[in-house]
């Protein structure tokens, strides 16, 4: 059975974990090799004529000057990778019709899918403006004869002899990194000139037909039509990483608030986002959503996407929606739940930060998904689904619940758009006007996370020189790092025993001693990821952020002294760390004993403040102590 592990995420994406298990062992119904196909749409739009739709021309014009911008817009849908496969490479072939002015071109990724045969600049302005504000996904120099020569012109002059073959007009652009980063097999791009100049170059579209060489070249023979059409070629390969697994979860809360009302929207089948100024009164509608992210032991996030399905798309201007993290517990109770008055200060604070993502809203402009008269191509669910890459944000989390805020980018009177919520899952079915029923599973929000096995783990060390660690796989102990297991019997000290042999066993919580290293010491995996109870001696390891509760101990640097301090109810331990359980321990702070006779081995751990004095065994103060035995604050201390 074929399975799409990109997040175009129809309900077939992750229907059962059986398919995931098949993916883990790399099985597939067939060996996937290459896709090659034309765009689903291609046209050009101009900033000074926003409503004009150049839908059927045989070429697109590209021009950039101080006042007028002509962009080529293209949309693609390629075959999604099967089980156990990923995109190896992706190239786009474009054929030049005429090259004018500077040949340098840029391609931008538009964060949203638009069927590019059916748009004017008004429909893609927000997406293009946002895209060109970022780095291009590719650059290339347009091939073809110079001096404003078109492929159909008289190029018989000897200086143009090298342009008598179609390859001299074909441009091959590498889009591999961009396509591999997508959460979907559908995407759109904008093509622009790299520098401002009042001259338009032209590229053939998928509608090009009947092009011939000039009569003086190749006897006026027709050019093979297949050679001038734009072509996207995607090559596949078996996945290059191990331990792939995928989780999907729906929102735990999703609602909306509006700045001009104090009512509580509660649990509804859709939430609305809008920026509108009505007779001088701002009406701002914000979408609010919560999800729960559960890390998987021994795995790291390869990619993470949020899937939202558009219900209505009526925003005529500024069709970019931005997503912000927000420190808010969302309550869907219509009587006591979240409203704007209660959340306004938190919303203001969230909007002062950088957004974690933005996207151009997918859907048929000025239509509801169930309306009659949908434009051709919008009677499929994919044309209404938005896949937003939030990989970096998810990687920054330690796990647990998180909330996000959705806001339209522009403060204009641009109508409103809304999205389906989790409540649609139990609501009446929605159908396209033609009668085709839409599965509720394809409408509700989803957080899609693709994991891979960790190859290593980097442990940062602060100036304290110490940290705890627990990994679910055996790993090689890095150079310059000393590892200890800990035990506790009684009193005010825990006993440290050095791990010998250069390997840290799986599911073994330990204390790490090393010099400060903000980049982190890399523990390279040397064995399989194994399940187990990560408790050894007095330490208990955790693989997700954990609150161990009261009565335990966590590593701390207290007044310059590194040891274990008693927990309180709010104490947290980060993922892949450990806390200490000292049965019967009544002390607030436990020191670390690294040897016999309660001698504390310092190495890089700071056991006292910088003002502490060091004395040798004869009672003489030592300003610059080296290896040896010293007395510090009345205690024996060994520097190794």
């Amino acid at each position: 059975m074929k399975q799409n592990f990109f997040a175009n995420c129809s309900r077939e994406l992750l229907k059962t974990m059986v398919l995931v298990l098949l993916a883990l062992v790399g099985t597939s119904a067939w060996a996937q090799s290459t896709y090659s196909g034309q765009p689903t749409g291609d046209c050009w739009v101009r900033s000074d004529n926003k409503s004009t739709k150049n839908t059927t021309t045989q070429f697109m014009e590209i021009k950039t000057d101080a006042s007028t911008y002509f962009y080529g817009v293209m949309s693609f849908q390629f075959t999604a990778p099967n089980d156990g496969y990923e995109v190896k490479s992706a190239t786009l072939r474009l054929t030049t019709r005429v090259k004018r002015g500077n040949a340098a071109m840029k391609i931008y990724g538009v964060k949203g899918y638009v069927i590019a045969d059916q748009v004017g600049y008004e429909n893609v302005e927000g997406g293009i403006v946002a895209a060109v504000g970022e780095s291009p996904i590719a650059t290339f120099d347009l091939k073809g004869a110079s001096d404003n020569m078109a492929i159909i012109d008289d190029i018989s002059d000897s200086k143009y002899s090298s342009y008598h073959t179609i390859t001299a007009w074909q441009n091959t652009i590498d889009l591999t990194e961009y396509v591999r980063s997508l959460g979907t097999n559908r995407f759109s791009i904008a093509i622009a000139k790299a520098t401002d100049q009042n001259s338009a170059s032209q590229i053939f579209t998928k509608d090009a037909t009947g092009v011939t060489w000039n009569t003086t070249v190749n006897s006026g023979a027709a050019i093979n039509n297949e050679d001038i059409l734009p072509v996207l070629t995607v090559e596949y390969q078996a996945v290059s990483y191990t331990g792939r697994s995928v989780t999907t979860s729906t929102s735990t809360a999703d609602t909306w608030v509006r700045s001009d009302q104090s009512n509580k929207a509660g649990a509804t089948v859709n939430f609305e986002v809008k920026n509108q100024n009505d007779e001088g009164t701002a009406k701002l509608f914000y979408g609010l959503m919560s999800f729960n992210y559960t890390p998987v032991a021994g795995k790291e996030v390869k990619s993470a996407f949020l899937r939202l399905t558009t219900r209505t798309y009526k925003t005529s201007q500024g069709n970019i929606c931005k997503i912000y993290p927000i420190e808010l517990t969302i309550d869907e109770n219509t009587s006591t739940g979240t409203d704007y008055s209660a959340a306004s200060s938190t919303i203001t604070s969230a909007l002062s930060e950088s957004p974690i993502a933005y996207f151009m809203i997918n859907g048929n402009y000025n239509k509801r998904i169930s309306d009659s008269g949908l434009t051709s191509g919008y009677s499929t669910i994919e044309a209404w689904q938005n896949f937003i890459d939030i990989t970096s944000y998810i990687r920054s989390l330690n796990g647990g619940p998180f909330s996000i805020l959705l806001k339209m980018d522009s403060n204009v009177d641009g109508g409103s758009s809304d999205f389906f919520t989790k409540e649609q899952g139990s609501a009446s079915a929605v159908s396209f006007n033609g009668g085709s029923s839409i599965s509720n599973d394809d409408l509700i929000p989803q957080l899609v996370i693709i994991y891979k096995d960790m190859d290593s783990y980097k442990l940062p060390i602060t100036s304290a020189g110490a940290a705890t660690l627990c990994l679910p796989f055996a790993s090689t102990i890095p150079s310059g790092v000393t590892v200890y297991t800990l035990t506790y019997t009684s009193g005010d000290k825990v006993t440290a025993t050095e791990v010998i042999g250069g390997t840290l066993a799986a599911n073994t919580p330990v204390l790490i001693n090393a010099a400060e290293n903000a980049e982190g010491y890399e523990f390279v995996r040397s064995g399989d990821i194994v399940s187990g109870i990560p408790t050894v001696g007095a330490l208990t390891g955790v693989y997700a952020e954990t609150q161990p509760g009261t009565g335990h101990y966590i590593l701390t640097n207290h007044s310059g002294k590194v040891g274990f301090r008693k927990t309180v109810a709010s104490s947290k331990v980060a993922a892949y760390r450990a806390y200490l359980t000292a049965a019967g321990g009544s002390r607030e702070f436990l020191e670390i004993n690294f040897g016999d006779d309660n001698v504390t081995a310092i190495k890089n751990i700071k056991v006292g403040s910088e003002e502490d004095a060091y004395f040798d065994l004869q009672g003489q103060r030592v300003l610059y102590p080296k290896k040896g035995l010293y007395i510090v604050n009345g205690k024996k201390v060994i520097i190794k």
Side-chain angles (χ1 to χ4, degrees):
M1 177 178 181
K2 294 182 183 180
Q3 179 67 25
N4 171 17
F5 274 89
F6 279 99
N8 65 359
C9 236
S10 66
R11 63 184 181 282
E12 296 300 321
L13 175 65
L14 297 168
K15 186 177 286 184
T16 67
M17 285 307 295
V18 173
L19 293 176
V20 175
L21 292 174
L22 288 175
L24 291 175
V25 296
T27 57
S28 177
W30 54 282
Q32 198 171 20
S33 56
T34 303
Y35 161 88
S36 183
Q38 261 81 61
T40 54
D42 49 9
C43 67
W44 54 287
V45 296
R46 49 188 297 176
S47 62
D48 63 336
N49 194 345
K50 295 188 177 184
S51 61
T52 297
K53 296 177 174 62
N54 300 292
T55 59
T56 58
T57 59
Q58 297 194 57
F59 56 87
M60 58 177 66
E61 288 208 276
I62 316 294
K63 182 173 76 169
T64 306
D65 64 24
S67 59
T68 303
Y69 303 92
F70 291 18
Y71 296 101
V73 183
M74 309 184 80
S75 52
F76 298 90
Q77 181 175 354
F78 62 92
T79 302
N82 285 3
D83 275 353
Y85 286 83
E86 63 183 358
V87 172
K88 178 182 179 181
S89 64
T91 56
L92 175 62
R93 189 195 73 191
L94 301 174
T95 305
T96 305
R97 182 178 183 272
V98 61
K99 180 176 70 174
R100 298 190 182 103
N102 194 304
M105 311 289 282
K106 292 183 177 181
I107 297 181
Y108 297 92
V110 179
K111 295 188 177 180
Y113 175 77
V114 57
I115 300 177
D117 269 353
Q118 302 153 26
V119 296
Y121 188 70
E122 63 182 359
N123 305 123
V124 294
E125 179 179 8
I128 290 178
V129 170
V132 299
E134 298 191 342
S135 299
I137 61 173
T139 59
F140 68 101
D141 288 334
L142 196 66
K143 295 173 69 175
S146 57
D147 301 329
N148 295 337
M149 282 290 183
I151 198 170
I152 61 175
D153 288 343
D154 184 358
I155 52 176
S156 58
D157 190 290
S158 59
K159 71 176 181 177
Y160 297 125
S161 60
S162 62
Y163 295 100
H164 295 177
T165 61
I166 192 63
T167 55
W169 300 78
Q170 290 176 330
N171 309 270
T172 301
I173 305 107
D174 185 2
L175 299 182
T176 302
E177 291 304 315
Y178 180 69
V179 172
R180 294 191 73 174
S181 72
L182 296 172
T184 176
N185 62 333
R186 299 160 69 98
F187 67 95
S188 298
I189 59 173
I191 307 172
K193 283 206 168 184
T195 58
D196 286 359
Q197 53 192 235
N198 189 19
S199 57
S201 295
Q202 297 172 355
I203 296 171
F204 285 110
T205 69
K206 63 179 176 56
D207 300 308
T209 58
V211 178
T212 61
W213 298 105
N214 183 272
T215 54
T216 57
V217 176
N218 298 329
S219 300
I223 299 172
N224 186 338
N225 217 68
E226 295 300 315
D227 290 337
I228 63 174
L229 302 180
V231 175
L232 174 71
T233 301
V234 180
E235 185 181 1
Y236 305 91
Q237 65 181 1
V239 293
S240 57
Y241 55 92
T242 61
R244 179 177 60 182
S245 63
V246 187
T247 63
T248 59
S249 57
T250 192
S251 48
T252 55
D254 41 24
T255 187
W256 52 290
V257 296
R258 49 188 295 178
S259 64
D260 62 327
Q261 289 187 8
S262 60
N263 66 302
K264 300 167 177 59
T268 60
V269 295
N270 64 284
F271 67 82
E272 195 167 0
V273 288
K274 177 168 68 172
N275 290 347
Q276 182 171 322
N277 194 303
D278 186 4
E279 298 179 354
T281 302
K283 293 183 179 180
L284 306 175
F285 292 23
Y286 301 104
L288 296 171
M289 308 185 75
S290 293
F291 292 86
N292 192 57
Y293 161 50
T294 303
V296 180
K299 295 184 181 293
E300 61 187 19
V301 174
K302 183 178 185 295
S303 56
F305 299 91
L306 176 63
R307 187 195 77 182
L308 298 177
T309 305
T310 306
R311 178 174 176 266
T312 308
Y313 169 36
K314 293 184 177 180
T315 301
S316 60
Q317 301 179 58
N319 57 338
I320 291 294
C321 186
K322 289 188 173 180
I323 301 178
Y324 298 82
I326 186 169
E327 297 293 331
L328 182 66
T329 300
I330 300 170
D331 185 350
E332 293 182 331
N333 189 295
T334 54
S335 299
T336 61
T338 303
D339 61 16
Y340 183 77
S341 61
S344 59
S345 61
T346 310
I347 289 174
T348 299
S349 178
L351 295 177
S352 68
E353 303 294 331
S354 298
I356 59 175
Y358 69 85
F359 62 101
M360 187 172 68
I361 301 171
N362 286 343
N364 196 169
Y365 167 62
N366 208 26
K367 292 286 187 180
R368 183 174 295 185
I369 196 170
S370 57
D371 282 351
S372 61
L374 294 180
T375 304
S376 175
Y378 286 98
S379 292
T380 63
I381 188 62
E382 291 86 359
W384 296 81
Q385 288 179 327
N386 308 272
F387 286 89
I388 306 108
D389 184 356
I390 56 172
T391 303
S392 296
Y393 178 64
I394 292 296
R395 286 175 177 169
S396 72
L397 302 177
N398 289 317
F402 67 91
S403 298
I404 56 175
L405 166 75
L406 285 82
K407 176 190 179 295
M408 295 303 297
D409 184 32
S410 300
N411 290 309
V412 295
D413 185 3
S416 64
S417 296
D418 58 69
F419 304 89
F420 288 99
T421 68
K422 69 182 187 309
E423 278 70 36
Q424 181 60 41
S426 56
S428 299
V430 175
S431 298
F432 290 111
N433 185 256
S436 174
S437 181
I438 306 169
S439 169
N440 278 343
D441 289 342
D442 290 334
L443 299 176
I444 60 176
Q446 279 191 340
L447 173 64
V448 181
I449 302 179
I450 301 176
Y451 297 91
K452 65 180 289 290
D453 284 348
M454 287 182 179
D455 295 320
S456 63
Y457 181 83
K458 281 192 173 183
L459 178 70
I461 299 292
T462 68
S463 60
T468 57
L469 178 66
C470 185
L471 298 172
F473 49 78
S475 59
T476 303
I477 298 173
S479 175
V481 172
T482 309
V483 178
Y484 301 89
T485 58
L486 299 181
T487 56
Y488 175 80
T489 304
S490 62
D492 60 357
K493 294 180 177 65
V494 294
T495 300
T497 302
E498 186 172 348
V499 174
I500 306 298
T503 298
L504 174 60
N507 297 310
T508 304
V510 292
L511 174 70
I512 302 295
N513 176 208
E516 181 178 0
N517 183 347
E519 293 297 319
Y521 292 91
E522 186 172 21
F523 288 74
V524 178
R525 179 161 66 94
S526 59
D528 293 335
I529 296 171
V530 295
S531 59
I533 301 174
T535 299
V536 175
L539 285 174
T540 297
V542 299
Y543 295 134
E545 185 177 78
T546 301
Q547 290 182 276
T550 59
H552 301 289
Y553 292 82
I554 56 176
L555 188 68
T556 185
N557 184 2
H558 178 60
S559 299
K561 180 176 286 189
V562 176
F564 286 86
R565 190 171 184 83
K566 206 163 212 180
T567 57
V568 295
S570 60
S571 297
K572 292 182 179 180
V573 180
Y576 302 104
R577 301 295 190 270
Y579 64 90
L580 186 143
T581 298
S586 59
R587 306 294 180 90
E588 287 298 314
F589 187 82
L590 300 178
E591 297 181 8
I592 305 168
N593 175 16
F594 289 86
D596 296 334
D597 196 25
N598 291 331
V599 176
T600 301
I602 292 181
K603 298 185 77 176
N604 295 301
I605 293 181
K606 295 183 178 179
V607 297
S609 67
E610 294 180 358
E611 288 76 22
D612 291 335
Y614 288 75
F615 297 88
D616 62 22
L617 297 182
Q618 286 72 45
Q620 299 296 314
R621 185 171 181 177
V622 180
L623 294 179
Y624 304 102
K626 299 179 180 180
K627 291 183 179 180
L629 180 62
Y630 298 91
I631 306 297
V632 181
N633 292 332
K635 296 181 180 181
K636 296 178 182 178
V637 171
I638 292 176
I639 297 181
K640 292 185 177 181

